[in-house]
Amino acid sequence: LGRLMRGCTTLVLAHRLSNIINCGRILVVESGRVIESGTHADLLARGGVYTRLMQLQIGQAAAQGATTCFGGFSSDSAEPVEDTPTNRTHPLDEDGEQIGWQKTIASLLRLVRPWQARLGLVAACGIARVYAFAGLSLLAALTVGAVKMGRPAILPLIALACAAPVAAVLHWLESWLAHDMAYALLAKMRIALFDKLDQLAPAYLLRRRSGDLMALATHDVETIEYFFAHTVAPAFVSILVPASVLALLAWTAWPLAAALTPFLAYAALMPFRDRRRVDGLGSKAREALGEMTAHFTETLQGLSDLIAFDAMPERKSGFSILARRSESARFALMADLAKQSAALDTATGLGALTVAVVGAELAARASLASTILPLLVVASTAAFVPIYEIAQIGRRLADTIASARRLQAIHDAVPSVSDGPAVPFVPLTGASLRFDNVSFTYPGRQIPALSNVSFDVPAGATVGVIGPSGAGKSSIANLLLRFWDPQRGRILLNTVDVRELSLDGLRRCIAVVAQETHLFNDTLAANLRLAKPDATDLELIQALENAALGDLISNLPHGLSTTLGERGAWLSGGQRQRVSIARAFLKNAPILILDEATSHLDSLNEHRVRSALEKLAKNRTTIVIAHRLSTVRYADIIIVLDAGRVVEEGCHNDLLARQGAYARLISYQGLAVARQGHD
Ligand code: ADP
Ligand code: MG
């Protein structure tokens, strides 16, 4: 940072005073107001708030033989996942390009199987509707014929007046029954997707873009509506109606059936021809849409960084490219389908015409009664209606299959961890923990995050884990929570392998204060109740007090029921971290993991929170992960990690006496104290 600041006007926002000692001017802000201003020396001389904060930090440093600043280890708040290209989405694998359409359709059909009776009803309505429409045309023809010949047209008119509402009601009923079923199925699919994502989290989800997953749960599921509401039952109709028309023609005069068959066959096979090509076009269009959605979501998530770095123009041009790609993919699909639909119209027209011509010829030779010819022509046209409809759906079927395939790919993904049978029995006083020769490499990485890590924590003890950024500290927590399973070695909780425990049970007995806390755009109370759904307001307030957030409630406009904004944007980084600590207090679990739990706090609050955490950690098995030595100094066991290996282990005094890595770290941070004093 020193190098970065050279020659720049720099604003340093810090709660760690060591970072600002050398600044030309220091402003002390409290409750939104500048209360002191001047150089370090000025402010010290004044003996005000700044001096108090300073004394507190120096006091801590002196008392603990380590300072909170200029440490050799820096906070690793950067998400390690995001900067590793190997972990980026692999759209080809993930979108299930290799899942065949037969398998996809079969999986959809499996979903509708319980609805057989309903499907039969929909198909019956569909068939009746097509015939009712054909009947309408016929009645209309009869009416016109009667009027033309000067005969009373009252009877056909009455029939027409009765038949029209019947056709309408049948159409309405068919549509209503089909959609009622389709949306019930969509809801079921969305819930199944939710459950599956729960199983896959977080290992699989880190490899996917959240915008793309969102497109999956919204667009893609919605697309499948076409399949359920407009494809399954109409498919039956589109077979039964043409078949019955052909039978009628064959029964009256077989040459008519022979004349119509080629056209019907051409139309009926149309949706199946070029299936593979249209399918490919559909998949491409779907993927392009997913990518565009993902890009948009990520833009929204990173908006403040994008604006601060003036990177919106590039981001926008990236978006334009994706938008245009989506447009052209969809255009290619639609152009293809438009051609199909034109061909279909032609087939319908020519088919009816051929039947009329052949029929007229037959009538001329008196081998067909001329009065039923209009009926036969109308019936021939009606035969195309359901085929036409199914071909329309064919356009969307490409889309539907692409979407179903993307969903299927998620359902086929194997969770990285599987549930065990046993319910852990862990008394509130803590459990013994043991890492036994654990080695673990994140999927897609070559270098192991942990190699041959072994350590023992007796029930109720506190273990401190320290080491530089990227040493594998957080990975220990990830493995204990079974976000992943190690490739080698075992993790034992009260002598039981954690793989034998139920995931819910295991996670219920561990409270985590993680490096990064997610707060939902919900009330403060709801965000806290994540840890304990039935907590009373009093308990919430107590937890906030413990986390040194007691005064937050009075500062928020609606107290506990204040909404915290997107990802808790209404709170400062330090406040968010303390909400996470308050959650840990509420959860009151026998095992506690503190991952850099106080890294975002200023010295006053850190002091308060730390003593509260010490209270919480009492009689509990606790893992304290820290890069600052002062935090772990009083742990029963200290483990020094470097590049995934345990390089030292013991209590503070033992490790100091050993004169190894730990002692070197201490002296380095001690040096920092000296340097700070010098400044
Ligand atoms: P620490 O908490 O000590 O800073 P971590 O345990 O977070 O370190 O990370 C250890 C190593 O594992 C780092 O090299 C990091 O890049 C890598 N890593 C962490 N999380 C993931 C992940 N989800 N996928 C792939 N690699 C990861
Ligand atoms: Mg970490």
Side-chain angles (χ1 to χ4, degrees), residues 152 157 183 193 231 249 390 402 530 546 551 580 601 603 657 659 670:
L157 271 180
Y183 282 102
L193 179 64
T231 311
L249 291 184
I390 207 89
L530 213 69
N546 283 332
D551 45 350
S580 165
L601 303 189
S603 47
Q659 295 288 313

Side-chain angles (χ1 to χ4, degrees), residues 194-469:
F194 197 97
D195 284 343
K196 183 70 191 188
L197 291 183
D198 180 25
Q199 285 173 26
L200 291 176
Y204 178 81
L205 303 186
L206 287 176
R207 287 185 281 143
R208 297 285 308 243
R209 304 176 70 179
S210 45
D212 196 34
L213 288 174
M214 203 138 78
L216 208 63
T218 53
H219 291 310
D220 287 282
V221 173
E222 198 67 31
T223 310
I224 293 172
E225 186 257 343
Y226 293 115
F227 184 79
F228 293 141
H230 305 267
T231 311
V232 187
F236 287 107
V237 180
S238 74
I239 292 169
L240 290 177
V241 169
S244 62
V245 167
L246 276 183
L248 174 73
L249 291 184
W251 178 66
T252 37
W254 66 264
L256 291 180
L260 188 63
T261 306
F263 295 98
L264 269 184
Y266 173 76
L269 290 179
M270 178 109 57
F272 299 100
R273 275 191 349 190
D274 301 336
R275 177 77 270 157
R276 186 183 283 277
R277 196 168 51 85
V278 177
D279 216 34
L281 287 175
S283 276
K284 256 200 216 107
R286 239 21 271 167
E287 262 160 39
L289 189 67
E291 260 180 64
M292 190 173 74
T293 316
H295 189 279
F296 193 77
T297 315
E298 277 167 30
T299 305
L300 284 184
Q301 285 168 351
L303 209 53
S304 45
D305 278 10
L306 287 170
I307 291 174
F309 284 103
D310 202 13
M312 268 317 253
E314 275 101 285
R315 192 79 191 161
K316 189 178 153 194
S317 62
F319 185 75
S320 312
I321 292 173
L322 288 178
R324 241 170 275 130
R325 191 178 301 159
S326 166
E327 182 202 336
S328 62
R330 191 137 294 271
F331 186 83
L333 179 66
M334 287 303 160
D336 205 88
L337 296 169
K339 264 184 242 150
Q340 264 193 30
S341 126
L344 235 126
D345 275 340
T346 314
T348 312
L350 290 180
L353 188 65
T354 314
V355 169
V357 169
V358 174
E361 183 65 27
L362 289 177
R365 290 193 209 150
S367 52
L368 183 74
S370 60
T371 41
I372 67 161
L373 186 57
L375 169 83
L376 296 180
V377 174
V378 167
S380 308
T381 322
F384 287 92
V385 171
I387 295 189
Y388 189 82
E389 280 170 10
I390 207 89
Q392 297 265 43
I393 282 108
R395 313 163 168 224
R396 303 200 137 140
L397 204 60
D399 250 356
T400 309
I401 291 179
S403 288
R405 185 177 285 149
R406 273 155 57 81
L407 281 166
Q408 187 68 33
I410 295 248
H411 283 288
D412 286 352
V414 184
S416 58
V417 293
S418 56
D419 228 346
V423 177
F425 173 72
V426 180
L428 246 175
T429 49
S432 69
L433 265 183
R434 176 174 186 168
F435 272 59
D436 184 8
N437 243 327
V438 170
S439 294
F440 173 64
T441 310
Y442 283 100
R445 303 290 303 252
Q446 266 87 47
I447 303 165
L450 295 175
S451 344
N452 295 321
V453 170
S454 296
F455 60 86
D456 253 310
V457 189
T462 298
V463 56
V465 180
I466 61 164
S469 184

Side-chain angles (χ1 to χ4, degrees), residues 76-77 80 469-475 515 595-596 625:
D76 49 345
S77 54
S469 184
K473 305 183 295 293
S474 299
S475 303
Q515 258 176 314
D595 191 349
E596 316 269 11
I625 296 173

Side-chain angles (χ1 to χ4, degrees), residues 429-433 456-464 590-592 617-624 635-637:
T429 49
S432 69
L433 265 183
D456 253 310
V457 189
T462 298
V463 56
I591 298 171
L592 182 63
K618 202 156 283 163
N619 297 326
R620 253 173 249 260
T621 310
T622 311
I623 299 182
V624 182
D636 302 305
I637 311 151

